[in-house]
Amino acid sequence: MSVQQKLFFTPGPAGLFPTVQSHYEQAFREQIGSISHRSATFRKIYQHADEQLRILFQLPKETGVLFTGSATEVWERIIMNTVEHESFHLVNGSFSKKFFEFSQQLHKYAHSFQKPFGEGFDAKEVEVPAYAELICCTTNETSSGVQMRAQEIHKVKKANKDKLLVVDMVSSAPYTDLDFSLIDSAFFSVQKAFGMPAGLGVWFANEAMVEKSKRIQQHEGIVGTYHSLSSLWDNYQKFETPETPNVLSIYVLGKIAEDFNKIGVSTIRKETDRKAKALYDFAQKSDQFEIFVENESHRSATVIVLNCKENSSKVIQELESKTGMVVCAGYGKLKESQIRIANFPNVDFAQVQELIENLKKLF
Amino acid sequence: MSVQQKLFFTPGPAGLFPTVQSHYEQAFREQIGSISHRSATFRKIYQHADEQLRILFQLPKETGVLFTGSATEVWERIIMNTVEHESFHLVNGSFSKKFFEFSQQLHKYAHSFQKPFGEGFDAKEVEVPAYAELICCTTNETSSGVQMRAQEIHKVKKANKDKLLVVDMVSSAPYTDLDFSLIDSAFFSVQKAFGMPAGLGVWFANEAMVEKSKRIQQHEGIVGTYHSLSSLWDNYQKFETPETPNVLSIYVLGKIAEDFNKIGVSTIRKETDRKAKALYDFAQKSDQFEIFVENESHRSATVIVLNCKENSSKVIQELESKTGMVVCAGYGKLKESQIRIANFPNVDFAQVQELIENLKKLF
């Protein structure tokens, strides 16, 4: 493998946030890899991550911070724990579609409202089926670069207060400014905007979610074992986890959330908008690239998807070999005709400008 | 936290194997944390881990190497995927008991043969219920220091060839010399004898296991979603995983398995026996400690459990503060009256001798 360091603009696993490696080194110095997950040292690590995430996401006290192996796992756990019969899914790309399919695989009656690839949702067009217990939204579709704005998600919940609402914020946390006093649950994985190596899912869930899981159990439903919501929640009360978790990753997550808080989440959001604008402005003027998502209010700020005139594999290879910058191919069928550019905190405005100049020079 | 490095004799998370940190550093240099889990680079990492584990455990070609978030997760996945109605559990401690309880929580009819804490199993006393589809053995009980010998497990399988047999080898892999042409599945987690930070479960499963899972699906049973056996297996055919996995940990696992193969598994097993003998010999002669597991053939070689005359918390604290060596308290109710000493490859014979001398000097 090349010794020259690459700069990743990939939507996950993404480029590492600049402080990540030093946090890992510190963890090794402190022998975090060998501490007991039933020790006071571990409980302090969990508590620190909890505190920093609560600040970053403005979590109310009713909402807990739980850990799983991945965000994919959270899809499964949410359906098992909070859907007795019927779920409802806003499908605006391939990942929200998988979330919907998980519900079917778990033998629930899964409703969906599906948009063509590249189109998104506004609250006013959303009609939730009467018996749906859970509404599943994806605020940022990593596959298509479509976003559903926080304010639209909030409107859906306000119009359906009797139902639980969960938000897949995998590739937009902490950019999306969700109101956690309103929505019931959200989740992400650390290898996206937090710029960490993969292997940890972060799941915010409120007491209403836990109550629902307990009710399903009382009705003789199966909610899983060690990662049922009540098992995760009961352990969380003492800052523990049911199993031996990815301790190193929880430690580093707390440190990164702390780094983000030092920068300030509003600064991160403003910088994300500024970098996104630069990328979309570039594409608008380019004769080689074209913005994929037509409706401006549905365009993602964190995953920018562009149609390419050239074959996109060629674009990606040339960019990487000439500049060391790595962007991602389109998703699924659009692999050869699109590129996806992640706009996460690991890259700053100057680096985005450099990427734009490099893309211009390719042709 | 103290800057002075401690030496961990804890049964998990355990002390890190001496090469672990340098493998992590190499992973950071190669930017493994940012590579796509759908790339050729990742597939090579998975393939390397697969190859090295196949050598280390002498896996036949019918057996696959699958990855989960933890060994605890494997308990759940095994029950969901290979038990339609009835499972049977040999319970020789607290962890095998949890495995048994997982089956109940998943609404299976779970049979068990339970031994008093500190006692183990021989094949001749095991009678498997007629309709049990799966036999669950725990070759090494981390809670009680009881082992079930490989040859006894093999005999149980030979007497029940129509049933699937899985082995929890969490705290004894790669010490336990299982015959994988005979048994159907086994699993462990990397924070035990492999001396790695936690966050990865390793699951060996053969085609009979996968077939069973598919049959349950055909019968309209629920086998989970992304981590169903067929989903894991299908992805494994191309050295991929269903979700973004703990890539860094899979990379390091391949390197550690390679390190183990360079030492040679038979050397590791002999050294483990030699260190275990030293520890048990010491306890036998001591007037402060006493071997907990009376039956010699049921005594674990990898987790040595000793009754203490003194309060064990005091023993642990004094040992750590005076020498920097860390042993573990007893499990559950025996927390205050026992110590548990992990005998993993992270510590060599000289270090075990030093531990013994230090324990002698405490009184």
Side-chain angles (χ1 to χ4, degrees):
Chain A
M1 229 165 280
S2 159
V3 181
Q4 206 206 323
Q5 293 294 288
K6 293 173 191 164
L7 186 61
F8 288 89
F9 291 84
T10 48
L16 298 190
F17 190 71
T19 56
V20 162
Q21 191 175 347
S22 67
H23 293 315
Y24 268 89
E25 285 162 2
Q26 183 60 24
F28 276 105
R29 276 192 295 274
E30 293 185 16
Q31 298 186 291
I32 303 293
S34 299
I35 61 163
S36 167
H37 59 295
R38 303 281 173 235
S39 67
T41 312
F42 174 72
R43 288 191 288 270
K44 269 184 215 157
I45 288 171
Y46 193 150
Q47 190 172 1
H48 178 254
D50 178 76
E51 283 166 1
Q52 294 298 326
L53 290 168
R54 303 191 85 78
I55 296 168
L56 191 63
F57 288 91
Q58 291 288 295
L59 302 181
K61 69 176 187 345
E62 294 76 16
T63 299
V65 176
L66 313 173
F67 296 115
T68 66
S70 63
T72 307
E73 183 183 346
V74 182
W75 286 345
E76 185 181 88
R77 301 298 174 191
I78 282 177
I79 301 292
M80 285 181 84
N81 280 276
T82 65
V83 181
E84 195 158 7
H85 306 293
E86 301 190 24
S87 62
F88 174 62
H89 302 258
L90 292 174
V91 175
N92 50 3
S94 307
F95 291 99
S96 44
K97 186 150 185 277
K98 278 191 189 170
F99 193 2
F100 162 64
E101 289 163 352
F102 272 32
S103 187
Q104 295 177 312
Q105 287 169 39
L106 293 166
H107 295 198
K108 310 296 180 185
Y109 193 89
H111 305 265
S112 74
F113 178 12
Q114 306 206 12
K115 284 275 174 139
F117 205 77
E119 293 182 24
F121 293 104
D122 290 317
K124 64 179 184 291
E125 54 186 342
V126 174
E127 226 172 295
V128 180
Y131 293 107
E133 300 146 65
L134 176 77
I135 304 166
C136 303
C137 308
T138 301
T139 179
N140 199 73
E141 249 298 346
T142 321
S143 60
S144 64
V146 159
Q147 73 162 333
M148 183 166 182
R149 287 174 176 265
Q151 68 216 48
E152 300 302 311
I153 294 172
H154 297 157
K155 280 182 202 161
V156 172
K157 173 69 191 187
K158 280 177 190 162
N160 297 276
K161 288 212 163 163
D162 58 323
K163 298 175 193 309
L164 295 169
L165 186 143
V166 304
V167 182
D168 178 335
M169 59 189 317
V170 162
S171 55
S172 66
Y175 172 78
T176 307
D177 190 6
L178 289 170
D179 179 355
F180 282 93
S181 70
L182 201 55
I183 69 153
D184 300 286
S185 180
F187 55 93
F188 62 94
S189 46
V190 297
Q191 76 273 15
K192 308 282 183 185
F194 282 73
M196 290 172 51
L200 187 70
V202 183
W203 183 9
F204 303 146
N206 67 12
E207 288 167 355
M209 297 278 289
V210 183
E211 288 311 311
K212 180 65 190 277
S213 173
K214 285 183 184 163
R215 216 149 55 233
I216 293 176
Q217 265 179 298
Q218 280 159 8
H219 297 173
E220 311 261 301
I222 292 173
V223 295
T225 58
Y226 72 119
H227 273 182
S228 71
L229 255 173
S230 55
S231 168
L232 284 163
W233 189 269
D234 290 348
N235 277 278
Y236 168 61
Q237 299 315 307
K238 44 188 178 181
F239 292 118
E240 289 190 12
T241 55
E243 84 291 20
T244 316
N246 191 336
V247 179
L248 231 55
S249 197
I250 295 171
Y251 170 88
V252 175
L253 174 64
K255 297 290 182 185
I256 294 296
E258 191 180 347
D259 293 339
F260 281 6
N261 284 324
K262 280 179 193 156
I263 298 168
V265 72
S266 64
T267 303
I268 290 174
R269 286 171 183 154
K270 270 182 222 153
E271 275 300 295
T272 304
D273 284 333
R274 193 171 156 231
K275 291 182 290 171
K277 188 175 180 307
L279 285 161
Y280 282 124
D281 283 353
F282 152 70
Q284 212 129 35
K285 288 176 204 149
S286 169
D287 54 4
Q288 293 292 329
F289 299 100
E290 184 188 59
I291 299 169
F292 174 53
V293 178
E294 288 180 17
N295 183 332
E296 207 173 328
S297 76
H298 295 162
R299 270 177 213 159
S300 165
T302 52
V303 179
I304 282 86
V305 178
L306 305 179
N307 298 322
C308 305
K309 208 166 168 180
E310 280 275 1
N311 174 290
S312 66
S313 300
K314 210 181 137 196
V315 172
I316 293 164
Q317 277 162 28
E318 285 208 15
L319 181 73
E320 183 173 336
S321 67
K322 285 183 182 163
T323 71
M325 289 187 163
V326 186
V327 298
C328 187
Y331 193 84
K333 285 181 199 160
L334 298 165
K335 190 176 159 70
E336 297 293 324
S337 60
Q338 293 187 339
I339 57 169
R340 289 180 294 158
I341 302 169
N343 175 24
F344 294 151
N346 74 306
V347 290
D348 62 21
F349 189 73
Q351 289 168 320
V352 167
Q353 279 182 307
E354 204 186 323
L355 170 67
I356 290 170
E357 292 311 312
N358 287 336
L359 285 171
K360 281 181 187 167
K361 272 185 245 163
L362 276 190
F363 306 99
Chain B
M1 228 167 281
S2 159
V3 180
Q4 205 206 324
Q5 292 294 289
K6 293 173 193 166
L7 185 62
F8 289 88
F9 290 84
T10 48
L16 299 189
F17 190 71
T19 58
V20 161
Q21 190 174 348
S22 68
H23 293 315
Y24 267 88
E25 286 163 2
Q26 183 61 23
F28 276 105
R29 275 193 294 276
E30 294 185 16
Q31 297 187 290
I32 303 293
S34 298
I35 61 163
S36 166
H37 59 295
R38 304 283 173 231
S39 68
T41 312
F42 174 72
R43 288 192 287 271
K44 270 184 214 155
I45 289 170
Y46 194 149
Q47 190 172 4
H48 178 255
D50 179 76
E51 283 165 2
Q52 293 299 325
L53 290 169
R54 302 192 86 77
I55 297 168
L56 191 63
F57 289 91
Q58 290 287 296
L59 301 181
K61 68 175 188 343
E62 294 76 15
T63 299
V65 176
L66 312 172
F67 295 116
T68 66
S70 63
T72 307
E73 182 183 348
V74 182
W75 286 345
E76 185 182 87
R77 301 299 175 189
I78 282 177
I79 301 292
M80 285 181 84
N81 280 275
T82 65
V83 181
E84 196 157 6
H85 305 294
E86 301 190 24
S87 63
F88 174 61
H89 302 257
L90 293 173
V91 175
N92 50 3
S94 307
F95 292 99
S96 45
K97 187 150 185 274
K98 279 191 186 168
F99 194 2
F100 161 64
E101 289 164 353
F102 271 32
S103 187
Q104 296 176 313
Q105 286 169 39
L106 293 166
H107 295 199
K108 311 296 180 185
Y109 193 91
H111 306 265
S112 73
F113 178 12
Q114 307 207 12
K115 284 275 174 140
F117 205 78
E119 294 182 23
F121 294 104
D122 291 317
K124 63 178 185 293
E125 53 186 341
V126 173
E127 226 173 295
V128 181
Y131 293 106
E133 300 146 65
L134 176 78
I135 304 165
C136 303
C137 308
T138 301
T139 178
N140 199 73
E141 250 297 346
T142 322
S143 60
S144 64
V146 159
Q147 73 163 332
M148 183 167 182
R149 288 174 175 265
Q151 68 216 48
E152 300 302 310
I153 294 172
H154 297 157
K155 280 181 203 162
V156 171
K157 173 69 191 187
K158 280 177 189 161
N160 297 277
K161 287 213 164 162
D162 59 321
K163 298 176 194 309
L164 295 169
L165 185 143
V166 304
V167 182
D168 178 334
M169 60 192 313
V170 162
S171 55
S172 66
Y175 172 78
T176 308
D177 190 7
L178 288 171
D179 179 354
F180 282 94
S181 70
L182 201 56
I183 69 152
D184 299 285
S185 181
F187 55 94
F188 63 94
S189 46
V190 298
Q191 75 274 16
K192 307 282 182 183
F194 281 73
M196 291 171 52
L200 187 70
V202 183
W203 184 9
F204 303 146
N206 68 11
E207 287 166 356
M209 297 277 289
V210 183
E211 288 313 309
K212 179 64 189 279
S213 174
K214 286 182 182 161
R215 215 149 57 234
I216 293 176
Q217 266 179 297
Q218 281 159 9
H219 297 173
E220 311 262 303
I222 291 173
V223 295
T225 59
Y226 73 116
H227 273 182
S228 71
L229 254 174
S230 55
S231 168
L232 284 163
W233 189 268
D234 291 348
N235 277 278
Y236 168 61
Q237 299 315 306
K238 44 187 179 181
F239 292 118
E240 289 189 11
T241 54
E243 84 292 18
T244 315
N246 190 336
V247 179
L248 230 56
S249 196
I250 295 172
Y251 169 88
V252 175
L253 174 65
K255 298 290 183 186
I256 294 296
E258 193 180 347
D259 293 338
F260 281 4
N261 283 324
K262 280 178 192 155
I263 299 167
V265 72
S266 64
T267 303
I268 289 174
R269 286 171 183 155
K270 270 182 221 152
E271 276 300 295
T272 304
D273 284 333
R274 195 170 154 232
K275 291 182 292 172
K277 187 174 181 308
L279 285 161
Y280 283 124
D281 282 353
F282 151 70
Q284 213 129 34
K285 288 174 204 148
S286 169
D287 54 4
Q288 294 292 329
F289 299 100
E290 182 188 61
I291 299 169
F292 175 52
V293 178
E294 287 180 15
N295 184 332
E296 206 173 327
S297 76
H298 295 164
R299 268 176 213 161
S300 166
T302 52
V303 179
I304 282 85
V305 178
L306 305 179
N307 299 321
C308 305
K309 210 167 166 179
E310 279 276 1
N311 175 289
S312 67
S313 301
K314 208 182 139 196
V315 172
I316 293 164
Q317 278 162 26
E318 286 208 15
L319 181 72
E320 184 174 335
S321 66
K322 285 182 181 163
T323 72
M325 289 187 163
V326 186
V327 299
C328 187
Y331 192 84
K333 284 181 201 162
L334 299 165
K335 191 176 159 68
E336 297 292 323
S337 61
Q338 293 187 338
I339 58 169
R340 289 179 295 157
I341 302 170
N343 174 25
F344 294 151
N346 74 307
V347 290
D348 63 21
F349 188 74
Q351 289 168 320
V352 167
Q353 279 183 305
E354 204 187 322
L355 170 66
I356 291 170
E357 291 312 311
N358 287 337
L359 285 171
K360 282 180 188 168
K361 273 184 247 164
L362 276 189
F363 307 99

